[in-house]
Amino acid sequence: MAATAERARLAVIGAGPAGLAAALAAAARGVDVTLVDAGPEAGGQFYRQPAAALGARRARALHHQWRTWERLRDGLAEHRAAGRVGHLTDHHVWCVERESAGFVVHALRGPAQEEPATVRADAVLLATGGYEVVLPFPGWTLPGVVTAGGAQAMLKGGLVLPGRTAVVAGTGPLLLPVATGLAAAGARVAALVESADPRALLRRPSALAAQPGKLAEGAGYAVRLLRHRTRLLTRRTVVEAHGRDRLEAVTVAALDAGGRIRPGVEHRIPCDTLAVGHGMLPHTDLAETLGCTLNGTDVHVDDEQRTDVPGVWAAGETTGIGGAALALAEGHIAGRSVAARLHGREPDPAAWSAAARARARLRTFFAAVDAVYPPPARWPERVPDDTVACRCEEVTAGEVRAAVTGLGAGDLRTVKLLTRAGMGWCQGRVCGPAVAGLAGCEPTPSRRPFARPVPLGVLARAPEDPVEEEPS
């Protein structure tokens, strides 16, 4: 596809590793790029920076791959100064609309998310990242219980410890950097509770051969945790959080090979913070609205990172959870592909062969990680009926089960209509996996028209009177 405008225009949604890599690759090849992001600064969750007013002296101590971040940051500054990239911060995209001449990106700007803004482009690249999965258990709504990524964001972005004594729990490789980061910042991490057995990764030699550095990285985290005297408890899970006005302790239980609680192998750990997460899922709202095909939970892309919707590319976690290095490789490939096709040329895959090889290796590795770190089996059996499953609408696990057994709901949408689970502010992003598990239903794409709540005044604005944003 060749751009109809004098200069090709690309809108990149998301300024994390994938979005930054794509923006820089496209801008370097003659494309005018508008980088649209909800954050106050570029970097996304992985490269989240503390606010300048906090005066952090050693922000790099909170990160690894700092030199990569410096190259991305400096490249963005250079392209912005040259007028090749516009960066719109604090812009929350709620819809991408196809037009005959390209695309219109609709966003809400400002802290209140009430001021409308639009960006027009010839092509769109979705780099919207992912979000954490948290499965419910008794006490998970107590103050002091946060997501693992939330604890990391507090530390990186606010230089704030969520508490003095922490337990990090759930499943997945994210738990390791969260626990080591909290310990390095001064918290006492009483335990890292992992429901899977990380040693299972050693039985996948092809995955380790594809990415041997990841094994060394994991070993480095383990060594640092040992130095901080943090207990690593594998094949364990938190079954209950205790406290009156806030978290005071958690009960941890051992799991057998089938995911059932082993009788008599439970103990309580005093703590004031529980950072918990059970993996991640891609943000696909905008892709679904555009009609992009999904492979399960991931946006389907070809070797150029193109979706099956003409003019729409996707890169990073939205195409499958795989970390920053994979996001960078996919973003670089996508940016080069966009530039070639907007200029009416057939891309040359040899130009991004190194990135393609890295992408293949990392995808192989993270496919193995997904197999080793599944959500804990049989977890719905351990959730009592009076446990809140949907926090926004205060729907309990018992109400979800009753919708299935008593009212005949056979799919997630019907459960939602009968219970209001997923109808709150988060629109099911937090509770969706939990409600699906409790109901015994397969998670299904939402195909909601908007990616976030939108004020009626914005929707009522006359279409012939748009507010078009001028990027800085």
Side-chain angles (χ1 to χ4, degrees), residues 125 187 249 322:
L125 191 145

Side-chain angles (χ1 to χ4, degrees), residues 171-414:
T171 190
L174 175 63
L175 303 185
L176 284 168
V178 170
T180 53
L182 292 175
R188 186 177 79 84
V189 181
L192 192 161
V193 183
E194 168 61 68
S195 64
D197 184 358
R199 293 173 299 180
L201 198 57
L202 299 176
R203 297 192 288 272
R204 297 175 178 268
S206 59
L208 294 177
Q211 204 63 26
K214 290 294 183 181
L215 183 61
E217 183 180 330
Y221 286 130
V223 168
R224 289 197 287 276
L225 288 175
L226 285 173
R227 288 174 183 165
H228 288 286
R229 299 181 179 179
T230 297
R231 288 180 292 170
L232 177 59
L233 306 176
T234 60
R235 300 297 303 164
R236 303 287 199 282
T237 190
V238 170
V239 293
E240 187 171 359
H242 309 279
R244 298 190 62 172
D245 298 323
R246 63 164 293 113
L247 181 68
E248 297 172 5
V250 297
T251 293
V252 174
L255 301 172
D256 65 17
R260 299 177 182 85
I261 298 296
R262 291 168 55 190
V265 191
E266 297 184 3
H267 66 282
R268 183 177 292 212
I269 303 176
C271 60
D272 59 18
T273 298
L274 171 63
V276 61
H278 298 99
M280 295 184 66
L281 288 172
H283 271 302
T284 60
D285 293 348
L286 296 175
E288 292 171 35
T289 301
L290 284 163
C292 301
T293 297
L294 302 186
N295 285 335
T297 60
D298 310 335
V299 177
H300 171 73
V301 292
D302 64 10
D303 288 344
E304 296 180 32
Q305 299 295 137
R306 292 181 299 174
T307 73
D308 55 353
V309 174
V312 180
W313 280 253
E317 310 284 42
T318 191
T319 68
I321 303 302
L326 178 56
L328 289 168
E330 291 185 350
H332 181 77
I333 292 168
R336 280 179 169 266
S337 171
V338 169
R341 295 201 174 273
L342 286 184
H343 289 132
R345 301 191 303 269
E346 191 70 23
D348 177 14
W352 60 68
S353 59
R357 289 193 296 271
R359 178 180 63 182
R361 291 193 301 268
L362 286 160
R363 285 179 176 174
T364 297
F365 177 78
F366 280 100
V369 168
D370 286 345
V372 170
Y373 291 99
R378 314 182 77 91
W379 67 263
E381 299 174 6
R382 301 192 289 272
V383 181
D385 280 347
D386 61 354
T387 302
V388 171
C390 170
R391 299 178 70 163
C392 296
E393 296 294 324
E394 298 184 345
V395 179
T396 65
E399 291 173 293
V400 172
R401 290 171 176 137
V404 177
T405 59
L407 301 176
D411 58 73
L412 203 54
R413 182 175 182 274
T414 305

Side-chain angles (χ1 to χ4, degrees), residues 104-133:
V104 181
V105 177
H106 297 276
L108 300 171
R109 60 185 174 186
Q113 299 182 34
E114 293 181 351
E115 301 176 44
T118 60
V119 173
R120 283 181 162 78
D122 303 302
V124 171
L125 191 145
L126 304 174
T128 47
Y131 62 97
E132 284 186 275
V133 176

